[in-house]
Amino acid sequence: MFDKKKYGRILVPMLTPFAEDQSVDLAKCKSLATYLVEKKMGDTLVLSGTTGEFHTQTFAERVSVFESVKEAVGGRIPLIAGIGCASTLETKALGKKAQALGFETVMVVAPYYTKPAQQELYAHYAEIAEALPDLNIIVYNIPVFTGVNIEPAMLGKLVRAHANIVAVKEEAELNPKQMTAFLNATPENFIVYNGDDTMVLEAFAQGGERRIGGVISGASHVVGPQIRKMIETFLSGNVSESAQMQRKLFPLLRIMGQNGRINPAPLWKDALKLWGVDAGLPRRPLTPGTPEEVAKVRQAMVEYGLL
């Protein structure tokens, strides 16, 4: 049975460091994972998510990230494997690899580029759940990247038919009330994770501590402890103080999307470098920040009190 307490409230979708030749830098993967654990940036690491640039990695590269991070920190922090692929066949195969490595929970993004209809999404997730009956499955909804929305009614039907589908990660800002729709459409033991750093308090306001698992937060590479304090302040009943904390954080989050950047991973890597933490390069077509962009990141970090 899935226990959200095991994974905590701050789940960090770990960046994947790439080398100058664009290969996955596994040594830096281990180093970054160790840094995140030792600095207590989060409660769980999620591997091969959007922030980890899974979409530009081969099957073998994703497996190598699972292996490397598990070797580095697997005994010190819970790990979740992102196994979503464009096809159902490859998703099942990657899930079986993750299970063989000892992962208990996986995250499965909706198939990207194909824009499946709801009945096709249902069949996709049902087949994965049946192929991986011993794994906890978190459905990952991020229409801004996949081009398809997982509808609450479909998810509710899916969850009731497959007990190992235990949670959904919702990219919430573009459809902020869909978290409530997911909560209403699913059983009371089903968990909703917020997948948008700008919507942390809004998630808990909609679902409360019992139904909201927490945030899967790319920003927690840098501000994990601050996000934790913000959540704790909100749940203690001090709404005004927590709102001020979220307002203070907001400009830092927004600067990671400057100049039309949708995936903030490259600029979070630049932010870490300003701290002396080498999270490698992004994989092209994503590119590091320009000097002007990095200067704005630096300024936002200064204004937030990080530098």
Side-chain angles (χ1 to χ4, degrees):
M1 179 177 290
F2 181 73
D3 180 7
K4 71 182 177 67
K5 292 181 181 178
K6 172 180 176 179
Y7 296 95
R9 292 177 181 148
I10 311 292
L11 290 72
V12 185
M14 200 182 95
L15 295 159
T16 302
F18 296 96
E20 291 284 351
D21 66 0
Q22 291 286 279
S23 63
V24 177
D25 192 326
L26 295 177
K28 285 182 183 174
C29 277
K30 292 180 179 180
S31 176
L32 178 60
T34 301
Y35 168 82
L36 294 170
V37 171
E38 291 181 348
K39 295 298 182 181
K40 296 181 169 56
M41 290 298 184
D43 304 308
T44 289
L45 300 183
V46 181
L47 311 179
S48 195
T50 303
T51 311
E53 300 176 68
F54 78 90
H55 44 282
T56 58
Q57 294 175 46
T58 67
F59 186 100
E61 286 174 329
R62 292 172 74 176
V63 172
S64 71
V65 170
F66 297 166
E67 291 172 334
S68 297
V69 176
K70 192 166 185 62
E71 179 183 337
V73 298
R76 301 168 63 186
I77 192 170
L79 302 175
I80 293 173
I83 64 167
C85 300
S87 74
T88 310
L89 181 69
E90 191 171 19
T91 303
K92 291 191 297 182
L94 190 54
K96 288 176 181 175
K97 282 285 189 182
Q99 185 172 9
L101 290 170
F103 286 83
E104 298 175 0
T105 299
V106 295
M107 186 174 73
V108 184
V109 72
Y112 37 93
Y113 195 83
T114 52
K115 292 190 175 183
Q118 292 300 303
Q119 67 270 22
E120 292 172 316
L121 280 173
Y122 183 95
H124 170 77
Y125 280 108
E127 187 172 334
I128 292 164
E130 290 162 7
L132 305 170
D134 297 323
L135 291 179
N136 300 310
I137 295 172
I138 300 173
V139 172
Y140 179 13
N141 189 43
I142 186 163
V144 69
F145 285 117
T146 64
V148 62
N149 185 51
I150 293 170
E151 298 292 339
M154 187 281 290
L155 183 65
K157 179 182 174 185
L158 183 69
V159 169
R160 287 177 171 85
H162 301 280
N164 59 327
I165 298 178
V166 297
V168 62
K169 174 189 173 184
E170 166 69 339
E171 191 284 312
E173 186 175 321
L174 298 181
N175 192 356
K177 291 303 292 183
Q178 186 161 259
M179 282 188 284
T180 294
F182 281 142
L183 291 163
N184 287 346
T186 54
E188 286 300 306
N189 64 344
F190 186 80
I191 302 302
V192 174
Y193 285 97
N194 168 39
D196 194 317
D197 287 303
T198 67
M199 295 287 292
V200 175
L201 300 186
E202 289 85 347
F204 281 101
Q206 289 182 70
E209 189 174 7
R210 187 169 61 84
R211 294 291 306 274
I212 301 298
V215 59
I216 300 179
S217 164
S220 288
H221 284 83
V222 174
V223 288
Q226 291 88 340
I227 291 176
R228 183 187 307 284
K229 185 177 180 182
M230 183 175 73
I231 292 171
E232 291 173 349
T233 301
F234 181 82
L235 293 176
S236 73
N238 196 333
V239 175
S240 294
E241 184 179 347
S242 62
Q244 288 291 347
M245 295 165 77
Q246 183 160 268
R247 286 178 60 191
K248 182 179 179 182
L249 178 62
F250 188 73
L252 177 63
L253 302 178
R254 275 288 183 258
I255 208 67
M256 299 302 166
Q258 60 182 293
N259 294 325
R261 290 178 180 267
I262 302 300
N263 191 328
L267 295 187
W268 284 122
K269 290 180 178 182
D270 287 322
L272 284 168
K273 284 184 179 136
L274 292 172
W275 266 355
V277 178
D278 189 354
L281 296 169
R283 177 170 271 181
R284 293 188 292 272
L286 297 182
T287 57
T290 65
E292 295 77 14
E293 287 175 328
V294 174
K296 290 180 180 179
V297 170
R298 177 189 289 275
Q299 183 60 32
M301 291 175 72
V302 167
E303 290 174 359
Y304 190 74
L306 297 171
L307 290 173

